[in-house]
Amino acid sequence: MRAKIQLAAMDSNRQRFHKTDAIATFLVGVKLLLLATTALAADAGEVMTIDADDNELTLLRFEAEGQHLIVWISPGFGNLDRAHAVARAISQRGIEVWHIDIAESLFLPPGTSTLRDLDGRNVASLIQQAHQLTGKMITLMARSYAALPALRGARLWQLQTSSQNRKADSLTGAIVFSPELYSEIPPLGMEPVYDPIASSTNIPIMLYQAGKHGNRWQLDKTIEQLQGGGAEVYHKILPGVTGVFYQNDTAAETSAVLKALPAEIPRIVSMLAGVPTPSRAPQLRSNIAAHGNHSLDITLKPFGGEMEPLAIELRDIDGVLYKRSAFTGRVTLINFWASWCGPCVEEIPALNKLREYMKGKPFELISINYAESPQQIREFLDRVKVDFPVLLDTDGSYSAKWQVLVYPATFVIAGDGKIAYGVNGAIDWYSDDVLNKLEALMQRLVNN
């Protein structure tokens, strides 16, 4: 497989991070060489650069001779082997694919906050450049938070197209996998806040939703948001799948989806091409429900929601039923987690220490696993020491009732049965700060 490298001098006004011209050019060279190495190692495609919106974007091109081209926006995290394999297989069926990590091309740090901040201008330019250079009809594709810049780019492209009195039929629509269309991570127990683009999109959309992904139970709300902007939305739930392109998801259901996608995507592209793409974009709706900038927590946070603890009726890995409807008389910690969640696994040792420290005190630790089978959990427990019982939320619907959006997520219920603290993310449960707060809650029980 050939790997063509194009290296052009960067304009001085593009010097991000205040690098000198020489250093910036060197960094571009390193990036291109790394991409070329990746392309050759994975038989991935041709490395090429595109001038888009006064920026030089580097991408992998999987060339094909058909009439359609997919611009695949990568979220920039995780192993790309599966994405490259699917892209190559799609190109072998006559659809060209351009796979790009825009954040990497712009020397921006990887992560969800970067994707939320990308305004879509580079995606709009990519749509325009791809069509001009190839004459092909363009379909966008993205997963997770990369759906945000993809849809923003589609809307900006529509605005540019309508201002130039051109038809919008060169963009067929977008294919998104388990899209995360949130403008922020809300405090635990509160409804997610959708980015304005979610309800300001009217291009045809095919939505693949992984059945065991953390946002599975937000699907109806996501579709409602997209349809609110006028988008024609088709969707397909993938049972048993945590993440199609998540390398550690080795479930048989996921393997079957990966095998089927290269043949299915061309049919989806044809279907989207048969739905007219509006030449005019809807008005961008403001987001008035924002909670304010919120991120993952680093310690216990006072709970700001209004929800009450929900009764528990779940089975553990041995099939034993656990029931609890009243939460008074002790401090209860309810931890939602999954074995595929790195931060979840990292905080387990501290939870073990916390439970040991609290022996003989009015305290209970309840662990609820999100959407994994007893066999998966048993295999996990053979590798990782967990000193507390694990209850199973087999389809994730119970976690959704608690408004859990990210993992791990933990509620701390005081002795009066009210939720006192909520934590989005992993924290050190054996720190002095956490122990002092939990013991203060228990002291209230003694005083009362």
Side-chain angles (χ1 to χ4, degrees), residues 89-108:
I90 291 172
S91 70
Q92 292 169 350
R93 287 166 171 79
I95 295 182
E96 186 165 326
V97 180
W98 289 8
H99 189 274
I100 181 169
D101 180 348
I102 294 178
E104 181 183 65
S105 278
L106 298 177
F107 300 110
L108 297 174

Side-chain angles (χ1 to χ4, degrees), residues 87-371:
R88 181 171 63 251
I90 291 172
S91 70
Q92 292 169 350
R93 287 166 171 79
I95 295 182
E96 186 165 326
V97 180
W98 289 8
H99 189 274
I100 181 169
D101 180 348
I102 294 178
E104 181 183 65
S105 278
L106 298 177
F107 300 110
L108 297 174
T112 58
S113 57
T114 294
L115 293 168
R116 285 198 293 262
D117 289 342
L118 290 175
D119 59 18
R121 287 181 295 172
N122 291 289
V123 174
S125 295
L126 276 171
I127 297 170
Q128 184 67 20
Q129 290 289 328
H131 181 62
Q132 286 184 350
L133 291 174
T134 67
K136 298 180 180 182
M137 299 177 69
I138 310 303
T139 303
L140 294 173
M141 193 151 82
R143 65 182 174 93
S144 186
Y145 278 97
L148 284 172
L151 296 184
R152 289 170 185 160
R155 183 178 180 278
L156 286 176
W157 178 85
Q158 285 176 293
L159 292 173
Q160 296 165 3
T161 299
S162 60
S163 67
Q164 298 167 4
N165 295 318
R166 294 184 301 184
K167 292 184 178 180
D169 57 2
S170 57
L171 177 65
T172 66
I175 301 171
V176 292
F177 291 83
S178 300
E180 308 273 9
L181 299 178
Y182 317 121
S183 60
E184 63 181 53
I185 299 172
L188 188 59
M190 293 188 177
E191 292 277 354
V193 177
Y194 281 84
D195 189 89
I197 193 60
S199 57
S200 305
T201 293
N202 63 1
I203 64 172
I205 292 176
M206 175 64 195
L207 193 161
Y208 284 95
Q209 177 62 54
K212 291 194 172 184
H213 192 278
N215 67 352
R216 157 65 182 93
W217 296 98
Q218 299 296 330
L219 176 60
D220 289 345
K221 296 175 185 176
T222 299
I223 293 175
E224 181 181 355
Q225 287 281 321
L226 292 168
Q227 291 176 335
E232 189 77 25
V233 183
Y234 306 87
H235 75 277
K236 181 177 182 179
I237 297 175
L238 307 176
V241 176
T242 299
V244 176
F245 302 103
Y246 174 51
Q247 202 72 12
N248 290 338
D249 183 0
T250 58
E253 295 90 341
T254 306
S255 298
V257 169
L258 285 167
K259 184 177 180 180
L261 272 181
E264 187 169 310
I265 291 296
R267 296 197 295 270
I268 297 300
V269 168
S270 296
M271 179 189 73
L272 294 177
V275 181
T277 299
S279 58
R280 293 187 178 276
Q283 184 176 358
L284 189 64
R285 303 183 182 185
S286 62
N287 192 337
I288 60 175
H291 302 300
N293 291 331
H294 193 80
S295 59
L296 297 181
D297 300 322
I298 59 174
T299 189
L300 288 180
K301 289 286 188 69
F303 185 68
E306 297 180 356
M307 68 177 291
E308 299 287 336
L310 304 176
I312 300 174
E313 188 171 343
L314 298 171
R315 297 187 183 276
D316 64 17
I317 59 173
D318 296 317
V320 178
L321 183 63
Y322 175 95
K323 290 185 178 183
R324 186 166 174 192
S325 57
F327 291 87
T328 55
R330 59 189 135 167
V331 174
T332 306
L333 190 151
I334 303 179
N335 176 255
F336 293 87
W337 68 285
S339 67
W340 45 259
C341 162
C344 299
V345 178
E346 290 172 6
E347 74 171 1
I348 287 176
L351 287 170
N352 287 337
K353 290 181 180 179
L354 174 64
R355 187 167 183 262
E356 177 66 24
Y357 178 84
M358 290 296 183
K359 277 186 177 179
K361 300 179 181 180
F363 174 86
E364 183 176 9
L365 169 56
I366 300 174
S367 166
I368 299 177
N369 175 268
Y370 176 82

Side-chain angles (χ1 to χ4, degrees), residues 49-67:
T49 57
I50 295 292
D51 290 325
D53 191 42
D54 296 326
N55 288 313
E56 209 167 65
L57 301 179
T58 306
L59 56 87
L60 287 177
R61 181 185 187 185
F62 301 82
E63 196 170 358
E65 296 182 355
Q67 297 179 343

